[in-house]
Amino acid sequence: MAFLPEKVVNRREFMRVRVNIDLCITSVIRPGVPETETGNICFRTKSLDISAGGICFGQKNILQVGDMVELRTKSCLTKQACLNCEDVYFMSGKYELQPLEGVVMWVTDSIAGVKFHKLSLRNENVISKIVWDSHLEEVRNSRQKPIIF
């Protein structure tokens, strides 16, 4: 029986898959900064990967570690500014999630990792289906079909 060395730490609690989900970051709350300074931060992005615990998506040096963010898919954009935004017309409506809240756990100048906060049962179920469907698709695609002569 082989054991992992003590230095190896797996921080993942959930299965994670690569999937593109169109999202809008519609709200950013930065601890210690008045909401009037962060209230206008909103942008469209795509997820890079997702799990039941969190999501990784593109960003352009906007977010900071500790920021509380709200993420929305096209189906739940309700703010007038969001509905009038020309980016909304280019978003895919393939996935319908309720608004997601999370905390930015890590950032680079081009991507951010967010840990979900108070994930609703509906969103948990939708995300679990996305993860398992994507995982099964990866498994099916990785199998080589036999060559018949």
Side-chain angles (χ1 to χ4, degrees):
M1 180 183 249
F3 292 99
L4 291 173
E6 288 184 34
K7 291 182 181 180
V8 175
V9 177
N10 182 4
R11 298 181 307 154
R12 301 279 183 236
E13 296 177 39
F14 304 96
M15 182 186 300
R16 180 171 297 272
V17 294
R18 292 183 185 274
V19 64
N20 287 325
I21 301 173
D22 282 323
L23 298 165
C24 280
I25 309 306
T26 58
S27 174
V28 177
I29 298 172
R30 187 162 291 151
V33 177
E35 195 172 326
T36 54
E37 292 182 30
T38 59
N40 293 329
I41 297 176
C42 91
F43 59 94
R44 180 176 163 233
T45 187
K46 283 189 179 281
S47 67
L48 302 172
D49 62 42
I50 192 169
S51 74
I55 190 166
C56 177
F57 55 83
Q59 61 106 25
K60 295 180 181 174
N61 227 3
I62 299 168
L63 300 175
Q64 297 176 6
V65 172
D67 286 352
M68 291 287 297
V69 295
E70 181 182 72
L71 303 94
R72 292 180 178 243
T73 55
K74 184 176 185 174
S75 63
C76 65
L77 291 174
T78 57
K79 293 180 182 177
Q80 191 62 41
C82 296
L83 297 173
N84 291 337
C85 179
E86 45 188 68
D87 284 346
V88 76
Y89 298 108
F90 300 106
M91 292 178 69
S92 165
K94 182 176 179 181
Y95 300 107
E96 292 187 15
L97 293 161
Q98 295 172 335
L100 297 158
E101 292 180 359
V103 178
V104 177
M105 301 303 288
W106 60 268
V107 293
T108 68
D109 29 334
S110 60
I111 57 176
V114 169
K115 181 178 181 179
F116 293 133
H117 177 71
K118 296 182 182 177
L119 193 62
S120 71
L121 181 59
R122 181 186 185 283
N123 279 345
E124 187 177 335
N125 289 335
V126 171
I127 291 170
S128 291
K129 181 170 177 15
I130 292 168
V131 169
W132 282 106
D133 287 350
S134 296
H135 175 68
L136 290 173
E137 185 68 27
E138 286 176 17
V139 169
R140 286 185 194 110
N141 290 338
S142 69
R143 293 183 179 167
Q144 291 184 357
K145 295 182 180 178
I147 300 173
I148 301 173
F149 292 97

